[in-house]
Structures are given as C-alpha cells and as structure tokens.
C-alpha cells in the first residue's frame, strides 16, 4: 500500500443514520484525518462519485432508489472508477445475489448485521496509509469557553463511557453470540448506552407500533449484533476517560446519582405495581446533560483551553440542563420518556401519568436534607396525587435516597 499525501475521502451511502454514524466512527478510528461524506441514497452517491472520486465507498446493498449493487455496477462501468475500493453491506445472502455481485469485484461483501470489529480490520487494509503519523481530528478552536460549549451542545456530544462497559463491549465482539439477558445486565447500568439503544430501537421501529421505552424492549428489537455495533460506535466516539481529577470526581458523583435515582424509581414503581423498568430508565437518564457537559469541558481543556474551578461550577449550574435537553432531542428519545425525565425535576400544569409522579417523588427524596425522613414529604403534590400511604414512605430503604 502506497502512502497518501492527500486527505483520504470516504463516501458512506447508508439510509439508516445510526448505522451511517457507526461506519463513520469506524473509518475515523482507522484514519483520524479522513474526510467522511455521508449520503442516504444511491443516486446521490453516484452523482458525488462522478463529481469527485473518493478513495473508498461503503454502501448498503438495499439503498432506496439506486441500490448498492447497482451503484457498484455503475461505478465499475465508468472509465474513471473501474477499480475503486468498494465495500458492500447487504442483507441478501442467497446464492443468486452473491453471484450477481461477484463479477463486479467488491472489495468486501459483508452480511447484515455486520461485525464492526471485522469491518474495522478490513478498513485498515483498504484505506491508504498516511505519510508519517496519522493526523487526529483537530479540536474546535474557539477563543471563549462559552462559544465552545454552545457549539458542542448543538452537535449533541455524548458523555464518557465507563471503562468496564467499554471492556464488556470488546469481550462481546470476540465472544460471538451473546444472550440478550447478559447484555441487559452489562449495559443496563450505563445511562448513555441505555439512551442510545432506546433511541436507535425507536427509530428502527417507526413502523412496528409503539416506540421503545426500556432497555429490554430495545434489545429485543435490535438484536445482539446490532446492539454491540451501536455500543462499539459509541465507545469509539467517546473512548477517552476524563483526565482532569476535578472533572473525574464530578463524573463519578453524577454517575452515582443516576444509579441511585434509577434504583429508587424502580423500587417505588414496583411497590405501586407500575412500570418499574420504564421508571428505572427515566431515573438513569435524568442527568445525561451533566455527563455530556463534563466530557465537553475535558475536551476544551485538552484542546488547550484554560479551565478554572469557577468556570466548572458556573458551567454545571447554568448549562447542564440545556445539554441534557439537546442530547435527548438529538437522540430522538420517545416523547413519553422525555416527559418522565422532566418530571424528575418538577411538575408543571396538566395531566401526569403515575410513572411521572414516581419520578417526581424520586427527585424529591434524593433532594432531602441529610437528617430528613421520607415521611416529611407526605403533603407533597406528587404524594397526594399518587394517594400514597405514609407507611410506604417510611419503608423506602435509606440507602436508596441518601448518599453513603
């Protein structure tokens, strides 16, 4: 393989945005300086190739309009593109479909759902090697922290992954087929992975009835391979740990609050015979904004920006809520789940589900002063609307609402 002096260009033709983003992350993991172009149909991909030839095309075999096989056929006929590297990812695995694609000489013909780690290894052989060390993507250069945070909030940056979850993903890819119950146990404690999988399953299930609201529902719809691919893409995107000790401590505290709120909401919902898993999910996701903001502050510092304690405190107080809102909208979480998350922070006017009232009560319990007892919330609006017996409040396990 000869060295490349120009930035590598990779064209991804994929209609599903989650898969397209995963493919982009795999490319950038192999070549951090690559320019990745994403289109959602074959005709646009063909037109783009005719205007400017990329170094590699990755295409879905079942693209709308001009499908991946026909796109490959058109490119092979063009005098400028006879040997263009082309990865075809297809759900058509019957003998006739494979025979039809073979004369077109794709660089790789991968079955759906593809194994992301295997594809990454193939990309290492297909992408030209950069001269010298591969260039990493340059951080956003902005003069003010507030401008930087405004930008990354709109881009929907994610929160840091827990190291044990990332290790579990790697092990899962090497171990082959996994049980959905095992995946639920591994991923169910991580708020970012939970949100990602629910959002992806809800998008994929637009024509399958109601959207997903819990991790278990999402795993059933996505399947093992799709789940592992999505989580791997997330790990590739945010694989750096928080290096600043101040930010790392805040991240650990934020994570502990998320876990406590989830377990508390599930306990209350179980006692009231409500949807316990839905309440757990909402509790786990309620402080996504804080996690995303902390990740962004670390990125700012690593890009050369100064970060004082006062700036950290100000950002956490003023921006965490907006980061969470932007992230939940960008990930297209179901509206009902977003309503439950909002209820954790307060009840406005209108009609509320009993699950929303449980989330609101969870928030109140977690905000109790150190010496206060749950029974002191007997006159709270959510308690009255739930018609709770004070005896139930007295039974709430102390470890669920008080930090150890």
């Amino acid at each position: 393989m000869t060295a490349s002096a120009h930035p590598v260009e990779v064209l991804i033709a994929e209609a599903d945005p989650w898969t397209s983003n995963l493919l982009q992350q795999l490319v950038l993991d192999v070549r951090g300086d690559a320019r990745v172009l994403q289109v959602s149909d074959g005709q646009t991909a063909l037109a783009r190739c005719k205007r400017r030839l990329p170094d590699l095309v990755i295409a879905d075999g079942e693209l709308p309009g001009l499908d991946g096989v026909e796109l490959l056929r058109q490119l092979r006929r063009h005098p400028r593109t006879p040997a263009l590297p082309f990865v075809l990812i297809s759900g058509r695995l019957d003998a006739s479909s494979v025979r039809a694609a073979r004369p077109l000489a794709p660089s790789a013909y991968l079955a759906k759902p593809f194994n992301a780690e295997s594809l990454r290894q193939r990309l290492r052989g297909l992408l030209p090697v950069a001269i010298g060390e591969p260039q990493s993507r340059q951080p956003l250069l902005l003069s003010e922290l507030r401008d930087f945070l405004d930008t990354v909030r709109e881009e929907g940056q994610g929160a840091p992954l827990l190291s044990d979850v990332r290790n579990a993903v790697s092990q899962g890819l090497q171990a082959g087929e996994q049980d959905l119950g095992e995946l639920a146990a591994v991923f169910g404690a991580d708020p970012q992975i939970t949100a990602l999988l629910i959002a992806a399953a809800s998008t994929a299930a637009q024509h399958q009835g109601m959207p997903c609201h819990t991790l278990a529902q999402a795993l059933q719809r996505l399947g093992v391979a799709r789940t592992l691919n999505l989580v791997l893409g997330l790990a590739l995107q945010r694989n750096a740990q928080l290096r600043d000790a101040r930010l790392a401590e805040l991240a650990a505290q934020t994570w502990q609050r998320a876990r406590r709120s989830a377990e508390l909401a599930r306990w209350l919902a179980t006692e009231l015979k409500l949807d316990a898993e839905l309440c757990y999910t909402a509790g786990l996701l309620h402080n996504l904004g804080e996690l995303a903001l902390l990740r962004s502050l670390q990125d700012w510092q690593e890009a050369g920006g100064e970060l004082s304690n006062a700036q950290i405190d100000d950002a956490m107080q003023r921006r965490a809520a907006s980061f969470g809102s932007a992230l939940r909208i960008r990930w297209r979480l179901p509206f009902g789940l977003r309503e439950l998350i909002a209820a954790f922070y307060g009840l406005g006017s209108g009609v509320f589900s009993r699950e929303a009232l449980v989330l609101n009560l969870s928030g109140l319990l977690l905000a109790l002063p150190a010496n206060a007892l749950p029974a002191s919330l007997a006159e709270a609006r959510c308690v009255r609307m739930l018609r709770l017996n004070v005896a139930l409040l007295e039974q709430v396990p102390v470890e669920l609402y008080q930090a150890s």
Side-chain angles (χ1 to χ4, degrees):
M1 181 76 71
T2 59
S4 172
H6 70 280
V8 169
E9 287 193 358
V10 178
L11 177 66
I12 295 174
E14 169 59 62
D16 178 60
W18 296 99
T19 301
S20 182
N21 288 339
L22 169 61
L23 292 171
Q24 178 191 45
Q25 292 302 322
L26 289 170
V27 169
L28 292 174
D29 188 55
V30 174
R31 280 294 300 268
D33 63 335
R35 182 182 179 215
V36 181
L37 307 171
Q38 296 169 279
V39 299
S40 58
D41 65 273
Q43 198 62 52
T44 302
L46 180 60
R48 179 62 183 77
C49 288
K50 289 180 177 180
R51 289 197 305 272
R52 179 185 176 95
L53 201 61
D55 294 281
L56 170 67
V57 175
I58 305 174
D60 183 358
E62 290 72 54
L63 287 169
L66 190 74
D67 66 21
V69 175
E70 187 58 31
L71 171 62
L72 177 57
R73 183 176 289 111
Q74 293 286 342
L75 291 174
R76 290 291 183 253
R77 289 173 180 169
H78 197 281
R80 292 178 56 237
T81 60
L84 175 66
F86 193 106
V87 175
L88 185 65
I89 303 173
S90 178
R92 299 170 184 165
L93 304 179
D94 56 282
S96 60
S97 295
V98 175
R99 280 198 301 268
R102 187 175 297 141
L104 303 175
S107 305
Y109 190 105
L110 304 181
K112 290 181 183 177
F114 62 89
N115 183 293
E117 182 60 28
S118 296
L119 175 56
R120 181 166 53 175
Q121 295 300 325
R122 287 179 179 265
L123 291 175
R124 288 199 173 102
L126 291 171
L127 291 174
V129 178
I131 293 177
E133 291 296 322
Q135 301 175 22
S136 60
R137 284 174 287 169
Q138 294 299 310
L140 192 62
L141 298 179
L142 293 171
S143 59
E144 297 289 344
L145 175 60
R146 64 173 181 272
D147 296 332
F148 176 82
L149 293 178
D150 285 341
T151 300
V152 295
R153 181 193 63 206
E154 294 306 316
E155 291 177 351
Q157 293 284 359
L161 285 172
L162 301 175
S163 58
D164 57 339
V165 175
R166 189 168 60 252
N167 293 337
V169 173
S170 176
Q171 294 167 4
L173 290 172
Q174 298 172 6
E177 192 71 5
Q178 299 288 306
D179 178 78
L180 289 178
E182 294 175 357
L183 292 183
V186 172
F187 301 143
D190 186 274
Q192 191 182 10
I193 289 180
T194 298
L196 174 72
L197 296 179
I198 290 173
S202 296
T203 299
Q206 286 179 349
H207 302 291
Q208 299 180 21
M210 298 296 292
C212 293
H213 289 86
T214 68
L215 179 60
Q217 293 172 352
L219 289 173
Q220 286 292 335
R221 290 186 181 178
L222 292 172
V224 172
R226 174 85 166 133
T227 295
L228 291 176
N229 278 349
L230 287 168
V231 175
L232 177 61
L234 187 58
L236 291 172
Q237 184 182 23
R238 310 308 307 167
N239 60 359
Q241 293 294 301
L242 297 182
R243 298 178 183 177
D244 186 292
R246 300 167 300 171
L247 300 178
E249 182 179 359
L250 287 172
Q253 294 171 0
T254 300
W255 154 239
Q256 290 298 330
R257 287 198 303 272
R259 187 170 65 176
R260 284 171 51 224
S261 64
E263 293 173 350
L264 177 57
R266 180 161 58 185
W267 185 90
L268 290 168
T270 300
E271 292 297 315
L272 296 172
K273 296 181 172 53
L274 302 176
D275 191 332
E277 289 308 310
L278 176 59
C279 291
Y280 179 90
T281 300
L284 193 64
L285 302 182
H286 84 274
N287 57 1
L288 270 179
E290 296 172 55
L291 292 172
L293 177 56
L294 289 167
R295 173 69 259 172
S296 299
L297 290 171
Q298 180 73 73
D299 288 347
W300 165 260
Q301 188 181 60
E302 292 182 357
E306 295 183 359
L307 190 62
S308 67
N309 291 337
Q311 286 176 309
I312 295 174
D313 293 341
D314 182 71
M316 294 299 289
Q317 292 177 15
R318 296 175 180 270
R319 292 179 174 270
S322 64
F323 262 68
S325 177
L327 201 60
R328 288 188 286 269
I329 292 172
R330 182 177 178 84
W331 285 352
R332 302 182 184 90
L333 294 186
F335 183 72
L337 184 56
R338 279 187 265 159
E339 280 190 322
L340 263 63
I341 294 171
F344 181 92
Y345 295 101
L347 298 175
S349 59
V351 178
F352 301 96
S353 68
R354 288 175 64 79
E355 283 80 6
L357 296 173
V358 163
L359 264 295
N360 185 246
L361 177 55
S362 299
L364 295 178
L365 285 167
L366 291 172
L368 282 174
N371 297 324
L373 297 175
S376 64
L377 297 174
E379 295 303 315
R381 182 182 174 195
C382 58
V383 173
R384 289 186 284 105
M385 294 179 71
L386 284 168
R387 298 180 181 176
L388 288 188
N389 192 307
V390 176
L392 178 62
L393 291 176
E394 294 173 344
Q395 295 171 17
V396 177
V398 66
E399 64 271 15
L400 293 183
Y401 65 88
Q402 284 190 0
S404 56

